[in-house]
Amino acid sequence: FDNDCDLLIDECDEDIVAPTIEFPGHLIDSSSTNGEGELTHLLRDVCFDTVTRANAFLYANIAVEDDCAKDVRLDVVYIQDVSRPGRATFRATATDERCEGIGGD
């Protein structure tokens, strides 16, 4: 749709909905949202012997979509947290590369 009547369809200034990240529900043990709106999933019965294998699993199982863009970049980053031994934390972000830095994240 051309929401602002400038004869361009779904360009960045019209894209008010951020890309979404979906994770298969059968792998989620519990979910919570922090004060900044970040959603956290705790996975059920999944164990990895390396960060690389865990990262590959996440890339293979996370789906990203956007209402305006066909190609959305997924980034999965390991966040080292020595206060939680035996647990790994990763942050997944989806970015509409057409609008990166303009509100397309």
Side-chain angles (χ1 to χ4, degrees), residues 44-64:
R44 101 178 46 235
D45 301 327
V46 181
C47 185
F48 302 97
D49 59 347
T50 66
V51 169
T52 301
R53 287 189 177 143
N55 204 9
F57 171 84
L58 293 171
Y59 270 108
N61 284 281
I62 293 174
V64 294

Side-chain angles (χ1 to χ4, degrees), residues 2-50:
D2 183 12
N3 298 354
D4 57 5
C5 299
D6 63 358
L7 304 179
L8 299 172
I9 297 173
D10 289 338
E11 76 272 17
C12 295
D13 68 341
E14 293 178 343
D15 192 358
I16 58 173
V17 178
T20 60
I21 298 173
E22 298 291 328
F23 200 79
H26 69 281
L27 295 172
I28 298 172
D29 184 50
S30 64
S31 298
S32 63
T33 304
N34 70 12
E36 297 173 10
E38 291 180 328
L39 179 63
T40 299
H41 294 307
L42 181 61
L43 301 184
R44 101 178 46 235
D45 301 327
V46 181
C47 185
F48 302 97
D49 59 347
T50 66

